[in-house]
Amino acid sequence: MDLEILKIASNTENHKVIKNCTHSSKNKNPLCGDEMQISLIVEENKIIEFGYQCKSCIYCQASVSLLSQKVIKLSIDKISKLISNAELLFDKSFDQSKIDELNDLKKIINPKNISRKECLLLPFKTLSKALNL
């Protein structure tokens, strides 16, 4: 296992329950059983607080940790674009330089980790569901 994944997953600053959240969602990966719950406070079309809880593998934990840091203070429109582009990072033939907003996510979301694609994308799918995108 890549030590970078462990390092990223160990950042749990947003691993929390947000009381009085404005948006929330739960999701489960049917392939492996990973479970993800995301709660948000959205004001003026931006996420101002992001909390997550998960019962999942280290890949899913690393992904949600990076995602939670990335989307705070972003507009919902930018988040929607980020979510739709995340899956493209697994495609070897896609010119990844076209999606600069995902640079920090490329550490773990890349063709090398294609076998963990569903684990890595579960936080994105859960966030999309919470925001009704």
Side-chain angles (χ1 to χ4, degrees):
M1 178 177 302
D2 188 344
L3 290 177
E4 183 72 15
I5 299 275
L6 291 171
K7 181 181 172 189
I8 293 166
S10 69
N11 181 345
T12 58
E13 96 183 55
N14 292 317
H15 185 266
K16 58 190 172 187
V17 175
I18 298 178
K19 297 185 189 233
N20 302 320
C21 64
T22 60
H23 298 71
S24 67
S25 180
K26 287 183 180 181
N27 216 344
K28 186 173 184 175
N29 182 341
L31 298 176
C32 66
D34 284 351
E35 295 180 15
M36 174 73 45
Q37 181 174 348
I38 290 177
S39 53
L40 310 165
I41 295 178
V42 177
E43 290 181 2
E44 297 180 15
N45 204 35
K46 292 183 181 183
I47 293 177
I48 61 164
E49 196 163 351
F50 187 118
Y52 68 87
Q53 293 182 296
C54 52
K55 295 177 187 172
S56 62
C57 69
I58 199 76
Y59 290 89
C60 191
Q61 291 170 31
S63 180
V64 74
S65 178
L66 279 177
L67 182 64
S68 70
Q69 296 165 47
K70 179 79 176 163
V71 299
I72 292 175
K73 298 184 180 170
L74 278 185
S75 72
I76 302 302
D77 290 341
K78 287 184 180 180
I79 293 167
S80 179
K81 183 178 176 187
L82 183 143
I83 290 170
S84 63
N85 285 335
E87 195 162 340
L88 296 173
L89 294 178
F90 290 102
D91 185 350
K92 289 180 184 179
S93 63
F94 182 74
D95 180 4
Q96 295 187 7
S97 66
K98 293 181 179 182
I99 43 180
D100 293 334
E101 74 272 9
L102 296 174
N103 279 341
D104 47 346
L105 296 170
K106 292 176 187 177
K107 296 178 212 172
I108 60 171
I109 301 177
N110 55 55
K112 181 179 91 174
N113 290 324
I114 190 75
S115 65
R116 299 303 224 154
K117 179 178 178 178
E118 292 305 314
C119 300
L120 291 162
L121 291 179
L122 183 62
F124 292 83
K125 291 175 181 179
T126 308
L127 178 60
S128 178
K129 187 176 170 185
L131 295 171
N132 296 312
L133 299 176

